[in-house]
Amino acid sequence: AEAASAATANSEALVMGVFVDVICSVVQLRSNLRRKGSTNSVSMRPKKVLVTGGTGFIGSQLVRELQKRGDDVTVLLRSPDQVERFSQPIRAVTWDQPAAACAGQDAVVHLAGEQAVGVRWDEAAKERILSSRVDTTRALVSAIASADLRPRVLVCASAVGYYGAREGGDLVDESGAAGSDFLAQVCA
């Protein structure tokens, strides 16, 4: 059992590392594109990145990785008290003025949502899990639309459960259908 637990932890760390790398790559590549009407020259300057869910399991690692790369990171938090979770100084803003937080950012990475793993999914929990993703995504899209200087990139990831529970480690890719369990429906 201990070996299985260690193997699971190693797999989760690998998947998370790959996920963080992919997000960093998307932010770098997409935000390097110049605005319409100009040439496609690439700027390698540090990116200004707003992260929601930056205190969560994946978000906290993403914030550290972006900071290590030299990017200018701002975390959008529910409460200013959450800033104490970061080992390095970080710019933090709260959800009371999301349009101002989005303005001037190169990219926004939206990872916010109620914890779905390791909690009992009674009806109240399911509602919190779903509304925390839907409501924050709507608020963020509205904020981006009304920002004076809009970000070029929005990466939104609400959960890894899109494909649903699979037996025997079935491999799936983006052509696979959505699962039918609760988390798959949240993602879809």
Side-chain angles (χ1 to χ4, degrees):
E2 201 171 298
S5 178
T8 299
N10 287 340
S11 294
E12 288 174 355
L14 177 63
V15 168
M16 185 167 1
V18 168
F19 185 71
V20 167
D21 287 348
V22 167
I23 291 175
C24 287
S25 295
V26 168
V27 167
Q28 185 70 38
L29 292 172
R30 292 291 299 158
S31 60
N32 278 340
L33 298 176
R34 295 206 168 221
R35 300 224 180 255
K36 291 179 183 175
S38 63
T39 63
N40 272 340
S41 64
V42 174
S43 165
M44 294 308 290
R45 69 172 171 73
K47 304 302 174 212
K48 293 177 70 177
V49 183
L50 177 69
V51 179
T52 72
T55 59
F57 187 58
I58 293 173
S60 59
Q61 292 190 29
L62 176 64
V63 167
R64 278 194 301 275
E65 196 61 36
L66 291 168
Q67 286 180 317
K68 251 195 307 191
R69 286 180 3 162
D71 291 322
D72 181 9
V73 181
T74 301
V75 180
L76 189 58
L77 301 168
R78 285 176 288 182
S79 164
D81 298 340
Q82 292 177 306
V83 78
E84 295 171 4
R85 295 183 182 184
F86 296 98
S87 59
Q88 293 184 18
I90 189 102
R91 182 179 317 110
V93 295
T94 56
W95 279 90
D96 59 340
Q97 295 201 349
C102 291
Q105 300 290 333
D106 294 305
V108 174
V109 179
H110 180 43
L111 303 172
E114 179 84 15
Q115 182 175 339
V117 177
V119 296
R120 188 161 187 264
W121 293 350
D122 59 20
E123 290 307 310
K126 286 181 178 180
E127 178 57 33
R128 285 191 312 272
I129 290 166
L130 181 61
S131 66
S132 70
R133 284 155 177 80
V134 172
D135 295 347
T136 57
T137 302
R138 285 182 178 150
L140 198 55
V141 168
S142 177
I144 290 170
S146 64
D148 291 333
L149 183 57
R150 295 182 196 155
R152 299 280 296 152
V153 178
L154 170 62
V155 177
C156 185
S158 63
V160 295
Y162 176 81
Y163 299 105
R166 302 288 173 150
E167 294 197 25
D170 292 344
L171 296 178
V172 293
D173 63 18
E174 49 282 339
S175 65
S180 58
D181 63 8
F182 171 68
L183 282 184
Q185 295 306 305
V186 168
C187 294

